[in-house]
Amino acid sequence: MANTGYFLKEALAGFSRGKAATSSAIAITTFTFLILAVFLLIAHNLRLIIIEAKKEVSIEAYIYEGVANPQYLGKKILDIEGVAGVEYISKEDAEEEFRSSFENDASLLEVLEKNYFPASYRIKLSEEMHSPQGVAEVASKVVALKEVEDVDYMREWLDNLTSTIHIIQVVGLVVGILLGLISIVVIGNAIRLTVLARSERISIMRLVGATSGFVRIPFLIEGLLVGIIGGAMAVGLVYLGCWLLNREALLTISYLPGSYNLALVGSAGLIGVLGAFTAVRKHLKV
Amino acid sequence: MEMIRFENVYKEYAHNITGLADVSLVINKGGFAFLCGPSGAGKTTIMRLVFSAEKPTSGRIFISEEEITDISLRQVPYLRRHIGMVFQDFRLLTDRTIFDNLNLILLVLGIPSAERKRRCLSVLSQVGLAHRRNAYPLQLSGGEQQRIAIARAIIADPLILLADEPTGNLDPDTSWDILQTLRQINARGTTVVVATHNYGLVRRLHAKLFYLRKGRLLPKEEYPQILYHEGETMEEEVVLPTLESTPPEKSILAKDSVPKAINYQGGFEPPPPPPDAR
């Protein structure tokens, strides 16, 4: 395109000429995307915490006294679909575990004259079985084995975790969509101001026979730049914030993954282009 | 050949305000016409209809014998490339140099860089302002700014030059110079239409005359005497011999109907002194 140079030059000129309007548009983009990015960061970290928590999901299968061959039982459990691993805990191990977790509570340990603890298998589940339904399904199969007296799998904790995830997802979606819409309106208006400052220029160009595309392209490039710069600044600020919090050891926060950052900067650019497009369209009708 | 033709054109605005009522007129190629009349009579409306900034409520409009009454918004830019426009308030981009103001027009037309430069300098020397090419519009006098606006209007070698009150902001001597420049552009074949209140200029330059009142074109017998010197009556349109009289080969609405290179026949002569002191 012979005009590419002109379009770029014109977009950059608009950038430096309309300093006040352009920098406020960038600031507004930065601010709205900062909110969006912080929100995404919180959601992302919650998700990581949940993934970690789910790894802890296990089923405790208590074995009847006097089962002769626990290794054979272990194999049978391993054969159940959704079981990722088993760990045998003998009566002695169970007592030891109990003692070590209550070692500061002498009175409780005194009562423990005899080893009342049954031997058990601690069953780790494969990832697709981390849902409450999956855990219950495996547990029911385990309890059906004749050597198994009972199972325990923190049903309430799992249910709570699941409903928490659900709430976070719904709230996240609603807040995310709202923030996205607000940023489109706010950034669109900011860019509208930069275009308004040059409405005379647009009308003169129209009078001399410039096509709407020719008039529009520099503004679209400018909108793209405003969006990308604003989005990148927001991402940078969030990164800086994470880094500071981690360094001061106030919180351990995982950074937003690169794909999120790219998506943020990209959508900021897109909103900039859309804002410029609608803002210019109004002035092109001459 | 007819350059501008209005057939029973009506233009009505919201709240029943009449812009034009039953206006029919013809301006021939190479013609020079004045549109006169009080403010709000419809002079500007006629011009806006010619460059399709507005559409008539009813009636038909032809430019260069092509109907433009209902052209689409997409075709409008291509029509305008054949029409140069000059306004009372010059409408130059004040944050661009004179050269950039002119260059922009040629960029719009997709003319290559070297040719752009040549044409800018050529047209600037024709209006006698080549030495001010790096100045900004507000550093020039009103008359100079209007010359730049005229240079911009003719740089693409338009078929029609529309000038809406081109002398409205200028002193009488400068006004006469500007009118002479328009006359010279006309002499090269461009059809020129000037809307003006300045009846002194109208009296001094015998040209085709249209007088509007409240959106209606008055019959010639009713034209006010102020438009004529004492004892004179309406002159018929003066058509000067033209240097370029080739009609466009393509539709004026075609995307590439504007010539990419023009061979100007040198600059203008300095405007002659006013024929009388009135």
Side-chain angles (χ1 to χ4, degrees):
Chain A
M1 276 276 284
N3 290 325
T4 313
Y6 161 78
F7 289 142
L8 286 176
K9 219 173 86 186
E10 201 54 33
L12 292 176
F15 228 74
S16 55
R17 274 171 223 272
K19 273 188 199 91
T22 312
S23 45
S24 72
I26 291 176
I28 286 167
T29 311
T30 306
F31 184 70
T32 39
F33 268 79
L34 190 62
I35 296 173
L36 203 61
V38 166
F39 172 75
L40 275 178
L41 184 74
I42 293 170
H44 174 67
N45 274 277
L46 278 176
R47 208 173 65 91
L48 288 184
I49 290 168
I50 287 164
I51 288 173
E52 276 307 306
K54 275 186 164 177
K55 282 189 189 150
E56 297 300 309
V57 175
S58 63
I59 299 172
E60 201 89 7
Y62 301 105
I63 306 167
Y64 281 114
E65 287 264 8
V67 168
N69 192 353
Q71 284 78 17
Y72 176 65
L73 174 63
K75 270 193 194 140
K76 280 209 287 189
I77 295 175
L78 260 180
D79 282 345
I80 294 171
E81 206 189 326
V83 173
V86 293
E87 184 192 355
Y88 181 65
I89 294 153
S90 67
K91 284 176 74 76
E92 294 72 31
D93 293 339
E95 188 184 355
E96 186 53 38
E97 215 172 77
F98 181 83
R99 279 184 187 283
S100 62
S101 47
F102 292 97
E103 64 188 339
N104 299 324
D105 205 337
S107 61
L108 196 64
L109 294 178
E110 269 169 32
V111 196
L112 204 67
E113 297 158 351
K114 179 179 167 250
N115 185 348
Y116 296 102
F117 300 102
S120 65
Y121 267 105
R122 190 163 292 158
I123 304 165
K124 289 276 177 199
L125 300 177
S126 57
E127 211 167 303
E128 66 271 18
M129 286 300 179
H130 281 165
S131 68
Q133 296 83 352
V135 177
E137 194 186 315
V138 174
S140 70
K141 284 180 186 164
V142 173
V143 82
L145 297 168
K146 64 180 190 305
E147 297 91 336
V148 177
E149 188 180 5
D150 197 7
V151 289
D152 184 4
Y153 61 88
M154 300 182 285
R155 179 197 298 265
E156 239 174 74
W157 178 81
L158 198 60
D159 283 347
N160 284 342
L161 186 65
T162 312
S163 55
T164 310
I165 294 170
H166 192 66
I167 291 169
I168 289 172
Q169 278 173 341
V170 170
V171 171
L173 200 68
V174 171
V175 175
I177 289 174
L178 275 180
L179 281 177
L181 289 177
I182 290 169
S183 64
I184 289 174
V185 173
V186 169
I187 295 169
N189 276 329
I191 290 177
R192 197 176 298 266
L193 286 180
T194 72
V195 173
L196 193 66
R198 278 166 288 163
S199 57
E200 172 73 2
R201 174 180 161 69
I202 295 176
S203 74
I204 289 175
M205 291 190 67
R206 288 296 280 171
L207 287 179
V208 300
T211 57
S212 37
F214 190 92
V215 177
R216 190 182 277 141
I217 288 172
F219 286 100
L220 297 188
I221 296 175
E222 208 180 313
L224 182 73
L225 287 177
V226 166
I228 286 179
I229 292 174
M233 277 170 64
V235 165
L237 283 173
V238 166
Y239 192 89
L240 187 71
C242 284
W243 180 79
L244 281 176
L245 284 174
N246 285 336
R247 195 192 62 167
E248 303 294 322
L250 296 172
L251 280 169
T252 312
I253 296 176
S254 302
Y255 294 102
L256 278 178
S259 57
Y260 279 48
N261 288 334
L262 266 181
L264 276 172
V265 176
S267 50
L270 190 70
I271 290 175
V273 171
L274 283 177
F277 186 89
T278 51
V280 177
R281 193 175 55 173
K282 232 182 76 184
H283 298 283
L284 282 177
K285 289 177 183 159
V286 278
Chain B
M1 184 192 179
E2 291 176 357
M3 187 51 74
I4 301 174
R5 180 182 186 88
F6 276 46
E7 281 181 6
N8 308 102
V9 171
Y10 286 80
K11 178 67 192 175
E12 267 159 36
Y13 296 101
H15 311 296
N16 278 334
I17 294 170
T18 302
L20 290 180
D22 199 16
V23 169
S24 296
L25 59 83
V26 172
I27 299 169
N28 286 327
K29 179 172 167 60
F32 192 111
F34 283 115
L35 296 175
C36 297
S39 297
K43 306 188 292 291
T44 302
T45 303
I46 287 183
M47 298 208 158
R48 289 177 63 78
L49 288 167
V50 169
F51 66 85
S52 201
E54 288 176 32
K55 298 259 189 275
T57 311
S58 68
R60 300 170 78 187
I61 298 171
F62 298 81
I63 301 296
S64 189
E65 298 182 348
E66 271 189 67
E67 180 157 12
I68 62 145
T69 317
D70 287 316
I71 61 169
S72 72
L73 205 60
R74 277 179 186 286
Q75 288 177 299
V76 169
Y78 304 110
L79 168 70
R80 289 186 186 167
R81 292 174 187 186
H82 296 279
I83 301 175
M85 273 170 277
V86 176
F87 301 92
Q88 180 173 0
D89 54 356
F90 321 134
R91 304 197 71 173
L92 299 170
L93 295 169
T94 51
D95 58 350
R96 305 294 160 112
T97 62
I98 299 309
F99 185 86
D100 283 346
N101 264 280
L102 300 179
N103 193 36
L104 181 66
I105 313 309
L106 302 177
L107 258 171
V108 165
L109 300 178
I111 287 165
S113 162
E115 171 71 8
R116 288 204 300 270
K117 191 165 182 195
R118 195 184 71 74
R119 276 168 76 170
C120 286
L121 293 178
S122 153
V123 83
L124 275 173
S125 50
Q126 285 172 52
V127 295
L129 287 169
H131 59 292
R132 304 302 309 267
R133 63 181 174 275
N134 292 321
Y136 286 87
L138 297 181
Q139 296 171 330
L140 305 184
S141 72
E144 286 173 325
Q145 287 188 59
Q146 194 59 298
R147 286 181 179 284
I148 298 301
I150 291 172
R152 181 180 65 182
I154 61 167
I155 196 165
D157 201 27
L159 296 170
I160 301 171
L161 179 65
L162 302 176
D164 195 358
E165 299 284 359
T167 60
N169 284 349
L170 305 175
D171 64 76
D173 280 351
T174 314
S175 297
W176 180 247
D177 286 355
I178 292 290
L179 204 68
Q180 285 304 309
T181 306
L182 295 176
R183 192 70 173 144
Q184 281 156 353
I185 291 164
N186 173 239
R188 294 216 325 240
T190 301
T191 307
V192 176
V193 182
V194 180
T196 187
H197 276 124
N198 191 333
Y199 298 141
L201 291 180
V202 176
R203 281 196 300 270
R204 278 155 79 173
L205 196 72
H206 299 285
K208 187 155 184 161
L209 194 56
F210 297 99
Y211 192 89
L212 289 147
R213 183 178 289 155
K214 291 179 183 167
R216 284 182 183 279
L217 214 48
L218 293 192
K220 288 199 171 97
E221 316 78 78
E222 294 177 27
Y223 283 8
Q225 186 55 44
I226 192 173
L227 296 170
Y228 309 110
H229 287 303
E230 238 173 287
E232 278 181 349
T233 51
M234 182 63 200
E235 292 277 337
E236 270 313 299
E237 181 180 9
V238 184
V239 178
L240 298 177
T242 58
L243 298 174
E244 295 171 70
S245 54
T246 41
E249 290 160 15
K250 293 180 177 170
S251 160
I252 56 163
L253 301 177
K255 288 187 183 187
D256 54 349
S257 65
V258 172
K260 298 282 184 217
I262 295 168
N263 284 316
Y264 284 119
Q265 322 262 333
F268 292 141
E269 309 206 337
D276 59 43
R278 261 194 281 187

